[in-house]
Amino acid sequence: MKKATIKDIAKAAGVSIATVSYILNDVKTQSISDETRVKVLKAAQQLRYVTNRTAQSLKVKKTGLIGILWFKGNDDYLWSDLKYAKTIQAIERHCSELGYHVLFMQIDNLGPSSKIIMERNLDGVFLMNVDQEQFTTISNYFGFGVPVFVVDSYIEDPLFHKIVPDFARSFQAARSLLGEAPQFLVMDSYNNAELVEFIKRQSGLDEERIHVCCDNIKDMHEFLSVYAGRPGIVLNEFLAHEAAKTHNRLAVLCTSHCPEIVPQGMAKVAFDLNDYKEIVRMMDRNIQDADEVSREKFYCLSVIT
Amino acid sequence: MKKATIKDIAKAAGVSIATVSYILNDVKTQSISDETRVKVLKAAQQLRYVTNRTAQSLKVKKTGLIGILWFKGNDDYLWSDLKYAKTIQAIERHCSELGYHVLFMQIDNLGPSSKIIMERNLDGVFLMNVDQEQFTTISNYFGFGVPVFVVDSYIEDPLFHKIVPDFARSFQAARSLLGEAPQFLVMDSYNNAELVEFIKRQSGLDEERIHVCCDNIKDMHEFLSVYAGRPGIVLNEFLAHEAAKTHNRLAVLCTSHCPEIVPQGMAKVAFDLNDYKEIVRMMDRNIQDADEVSREKFYCLSVIT
DNA sequence: ATGAAAGCGCTAACAA
DNA sequence: TTGTTAGCGCTTTCAT
């Protein structure tokens, strides 16, 4: 029970393989008589033909494959799993809409893993949660014209597109939801140190009023105890749950993309994962036009309140 | 800046492409002089050669691609996202160990989507959360010898391998952790109705003592109110959190694979995702040996207490 | 409107 | 030990 090829169709329909290819691909520059078109299509159906994308890719030098490389540093936090799970879902959904398939890979060191980009001839790549060092590693791994979009990293490198939540607007929104200036910030951690710094800056708060959460939840509660009864901002729904045990004047930025779990009555600001539709479209344009000029290299996931 | 091919290497090293192929693939049946081996390897490195897996796949008729098709019915529960995110992570990790790459796809209807299996020539497939109907759809889509492993479905079809948590043992464990017979069961829902029935049976409880959770959390609390103060079992950590608000004699089966979020002091039974190592190995064997006899078609994720 | 044929990059059987 | 070559399934140019 072997799979049918265009050759089989050609034989069955009594035409050449070129003709079959024209018809199956609906090539516009080629005119085909209705008669043969029907003949071929019928044969294709009977033989249960499906395109062999491997062969097609080899020929057209486009695989239709988008890679998602997820750097899973040491942190194995639930919030991080969920955030990226949601992100991956959004990316896959929109890639799918445009006919792309998604290769998913967790990596812990970019060197060997990033070979996948070249080996598999990925058309485009999403990099999630990479730090500066990995960034430089990968950036000289290829100037091969593969569009690379980086999620949750804040790096000034014109080679890459950057995607982050719209922190500026979300802090603003949080403040206005609180109705007063926040006194402190508790935030989740990122592999990319620059992003952490960027977030801190955006919050407008002094360093000592900011706590970056690591594995130890005790530290957070200790930090929070200083601000008892004061209003503050928490990044990510899970930390918000913890903080809610001792604080009630909180606004939470839903960086894990699960606004539904924020405790009732707590002010929340979410981000729009549907923005990935536009982002994937942009990647697609980059793929079509190798030298498409993309002015803007920063994409901010828009705020939902 | 084009990518180097074995042809380029051959030219650079002054040998034939066959020789290059032999060396790069370390073909055992072929003896190669140390001299040429070194020459070729050096050239390969200099040219930054990486295998073109597309071409290779076409030739050897193995893509090294494993598909994960995730049926995301209507339910878009957090617990479900997390459960399958964790599962996908485990599968990817172990596939990676064996040199496979993972194609990830969310589907809402199996017909068109499952074309990916044929188009991309997937070597193996994991199907997650499919119901009976989709099952039959896909099962006649191919007897193409692609090993298919089904996660969270309970169907008697010798064509597929089934993977489910070890419910029998986990109920047992839960009971003994409770120290007494559970009076009720609250469980998460699955697309696969048979699995739901199977779980109910395994619990050993009467139908009316079992509540299957849908979107409405109110229903659950209503159900629970009947059993105030009585011991019971909850499937999945998130529901456990809800239930914990009114009940304290609970044992939770961690079907979302996040035992770390079970409230302190609550009895919990988890499942071992590392079992996927063996499962993926089994799939690998099936791939190598098209007609490998696998006696056992059921895999139960083992219990951790 | 249709077909012949080259060739994408690779492997492997066969020849030398 | 090394090289020649056919061919995997497809697209596409150029003839017919």
Side-chain angles (χ1 to χ4, degrees), chain A residues 249-290:
Chain A
R249 290 156 76 197
L250 294 173
V252 41
L253 308 195
C254 300
T255 51
S256 287
H257 305 304
C258 301
E260 70 270 29
I261 64 162
V262 171
Q264 279 273 320
M266 188 178 287
K268 63 186 172 188
V269 179
F271 302 95
D272 194 353
L273 283 174
N274 286 320
D275 286 2
Y276 273 100
K277 180 167 191 156
E278 190 42 52
I279 292 169
V280 169
R281 285 225 139 76
M282 169 71 75
M283 177 178 273
D284 180 41
R285 256 172 274 139
N286 274 267
I287 292 170
Q288 308 292 340
D289 263 336

Side-chain angles (χ1 to χ4, degrees), chain A:
Chain A
M1 170 107 109
K2 272 188 58 62
K3 274 185 241 179
T5 69
I6 54 169
K7 202 171 160 188
D8 298 323
I9 299 179
K11 202 182 302 173
V15 297
S16 76
I17 60 165
T19 306
V20 175
S21 176
Y22 291 142
I23 294 173
L24 293 179
N25 293 315
D26 202 24
V27 175
K28 298 301 181 194
T29 59
Q30 192 58 229
S31 56
I32 299 281
S33 75
D34 279 359
E35 189 191 4
T36 46
R37 166 165 282 118
V38 170
K39 233 179 4 186
V40 167
L41 256 20
K42 200 171 284 178
Q45 194 159 26
Q46 252 155 20
L47 295 173
R48 295 168 156 278
Y49 174 82
V50 293
T51 307
N52 181 332
R53 300 272 247 141
T54 308
Q56 191 181 48
S57 300
L58 179 59
K59 182 68 196 175
V60 303
K61 292 180 175 310
K62 285 242 145 49
T63 53
L65 249 28
I66 303 286
I68 301 183
L69 306 194
W70 179 7
F71 185 81
K72 298 215 58 172
N74 316 305
D75 57 80
D76 200 25
Y77 308 117
L78 195 61
W79 76 64
S80 166
D81 275 357
L82 215 28
K83 169 192 317 203
Y84 294 113
K86 290 282 189 184
T87 304
I88 290 169
Q89 289 176 26
I91 294 175
E92 193 282 327
R93 200 167 47 245
H94 294 116
C95 283
S96 213
E97 279 175 15
L98 298 185
Y100 290 102
H101 290 157
V102 165
L103 260 181
F104 166 63
M105 193 171 198
Q106 302 162 90
I107 55 188
D108 30 49
N109 106 30
L110 223 31
S113 315
S114 60
K115 268 208 321 189
I116 191 181
I117 304 175
M118 324 240 53
E119 285 194 356
R120 291 284 181 192
N121 299 292
L122 303 184
D123 286 345
V125 176
F126 285 92
L127 242 40
M128 305 206 305
N129 208 23
V130 294
D131 66 27
Q132 173 71 59
E133 190 186 351
Q134 295 150 339
F135 223 70
T136 39
T137 305
I138 204 175
S139 70
N140 56 28
Y141 239 81
F142 64 108
F144 277 89
V146 180
V148 176
F149 286 59
V150 185
V151 179
D152 281 354
S153 292
Y154 199 91
I155 299 207
E156 297 288 349
D157 184 326
L159 210 54
F160 302 94
H161 296 253
K162 271 78 65 177
I163 304 162
V164 287
D166 191 335
F167 286 112
R169 285 220 177 68
S170 58
F171 275 120
Q172 232 173 282
R175 201 162 311 162
S176 80
L177 282 172
L178 277 177
E180 56 189 319
Q183 307 277 309
F184 65 91
L185 166 66
V186 167
M187 61 178 286
D188 45 15
S189 65
Y190 296 81
N191 277 330
N192 188 261
E194 285 72 17
L195 181 59
V196 174
E197 289 313 311
F198 176 75
I199 297 174
K200 286 182 179 174
R201 251 178 287 131
Q202 292 290 318
S203 76
L205 288 165
D206 289 342
E207 181 75 27
E208 73 271 14
R209 288 175 175 274
I210 301 175
H211 177 74
V212 179
C213 266
C214 298
D215 21 14
N216 198 339
I217 213 78
K218 285 250 165 42
D219 290 352
M220 181 184 96
H221 282 297
E222 200 168 306
F223 168 85
L224 279 172
S225 65
V226 178
Y227 296 95
R230 320 263 283 279
I233 295 182
V234 181
L235 251 68
N236 137 358
E237 303 80 322
F238 291 88
L239 295 179
H241 257 278
E242 276 301 317
K245 292 179 184 168
T246 56
H247 283 61
N248 53 6
R249 290 156 76 197
L250 294 173
V252 41
L253 308 195
C254 300
T255 51
S256 287
H257 305 304
C258 301
E260 70 270 29
I261 64 162
V262 171
Q264 279 273 320
M266 188 178 287
K268 63 186 172 188
V269 179
F271 302 95
D272 194 353
L273 283 174
N274 286 320
D275 286 2
Y276 273 100
K277 180 167 191 156
E278 190 42 52
I279 292 169
V280 169
R281 285 225 139 76
M282 169 71 75
M283 177 178 273
D284 180 41
R285 256 172 274 139
N286 274 267
I287 292 170
Q288 308 292 340
D289 263 336
D291 35 37
E292 143 108 5
V293 275
S294 12
R295 322 127 287 277
E296 197 44 85
K297 292 289 197 176
F298 267 98
Y299 302 95
C300 288
L301 298 186
S302 51
V303 165
I304 309 174
T305 43

Side-chain angles (χ1 to χ4, degrees), chain B residues 41-84:
Chain B
L41 256 22
K42 199 170 284 178
Q45 193 157 27
Q46 253 155 17
L47 295 172
R48 294 168 156 281
Y49 174 82
V50 293
T51 306
N52 182 331
R53 299 270 247 144
T54 307
Q56 191 181 50
S57 301
L58 179 59
K59 181 67 196 175
V60 302
K61 292 179 173 311
K62 284 244 144 53
T63 53
L65 249 28
I66 302 287
I68 301 184
L69 305 195
W70 178 8
F71 186 82
K72 298 213 58 173
N74 317 305
D75 56 81
D76 200 25
Y77 308 118
L78 194 63
W79 76 63
S80 166
D81 276 356
L82 214 29
K83 171 195 312 204
Y84 294 114

Side-chain angles (χ1 to χ4, degrees), chain B residues 16 18-19 22 30-31 33 36 59 61:
Chain B
S16 77
T19 306
Y22 292 142
Q30 193 57 234
S31 56
S33 76
T36 47
K59 181 67 196 175
K61 292 179 173 311

